[in-house]
Amino acid sequence: MPMIIALDGPAASGKGTLARRLAAHYGLPHLDTGLLYRATALALIEAGEAPDDETRAVAAARGLALTDFDEAKLRTRETGQAASIVAAIPGVRAALLETQRAFAARPGGAVLDGRDIGTVICPGAQAKIFVTASPETRAGRRALELAGRGGGADYAGILRDIRERDARDSGRASAPLLAAADAVRLDTTHLDVEAAFQAALEIVEARRSRV
Ligand code: CDP
């Protein structure tokens, strides 16, 4: 039976790193669904359009190609903020739904991470993990990550961004950030990457043995 692993959680909670590690461990393809929203937002930024322009945002989401993502541009703070604005538009979410479901339907299974994987995209996923960490820990990690990419590491500004995005992602009407009823919560505040990976692996293995 193909295994789908769904990881959801707020910004910089560590779900991307966990998703990559789990995908490598099980030999499964991985989709970071945040990149789809970031790429939609970047298309608007580059065209000089506002991220809350619904018609343009939906057209940008429909026109996305899964390939040629420029991660350097997609991972900036500006693109992240704009991504959470386009992500609140129901038409944008609808435009990106089939791409995500098709990825999840690969014959061998898949790992997807995002905000609504366990609730909307793959409600039938065998393993669902809701990854959290304190806002301060997440801001510290994001500052390190952005510094590693050559960007500025303005901790206070990053913490502000994270709180703003948490509020927008959790408060929106369309597919808000929410743990699925059958998701296992994993708080990574006091875990390093290796410890978080081991904890995630235990969760997945426990689910697998139930199937
Ligand atoms: O990497 P980080 O956690 O900062 O963000 P991301 O996963 O790249 O997502 C960027 C934004 O896209 C989020 O703030 C969400 O608003 C949106 N998003 C979403 O709505 N649904 C998803 N499945 C993934 C991302």
Side-chain angles (χ1 to χ4, degrees), residues 8-9 115-119 130 169-170 175-181 183 185:
D8 291 299
R115 302 290 187 289
D116 62 343
I117 308 304
T119 50
F130 194 79
D169 292 349
S170 304
L177 170 65
L178 198 70
R185 284 178 179 270

Side-chain angles (χ1 to χ4, degrees), residues 1 4 117-118 121-128 182:
M1 186 183 183
I4 297 175
I117 308 304
I121 307 295
C122 306
Q126 286 83 353
K128 299 182 186 177
D182 55 348

Side-chain angles (χ1 to χ4, degrees), residues 103-135:
F103 191 94
R106 289 181 178 207
V111 180
L112 289 89
D113 75 278
R115 302 290 187 289
D116 62 343
I117 308 304
T119 50
V120 175
I121 307 295
C122 306
Q126 286 83 353
K128 299 182 186 177
I129 308 180
F130 194 79
V131 189
T132 62
S134 73

Side-chain angles (χ1 to χ4, degrees), residues 8-13 15 32-35 37-38 74-75 79-81 83-88 93 100 113-117 121 142 145 162 165-166 168-169 172 174-175:
D8 291 299
S13 52
K15 62 192 184 302
D32 172 348
T33 63
L35 286 181
Y37 295 92
R38 285 175 180 263
L74 292 175
R75 300 277 181 204
T79 312
Q81 284 295 83
S84 85
I85 296 172
V86 301
R93 306 200 72 83
Q100 297 173 79
D113 75 278
R115 302 290 187 289
D116 62 343
I117 308 304
I121 307 295
R142 185 50 46 93
E145 182 195 328
I162 280 185
R165 268 209 288 150
D166 282 357
R168 209 183 287 124
D169 292 349
R172 70 183 176 218
S174 180

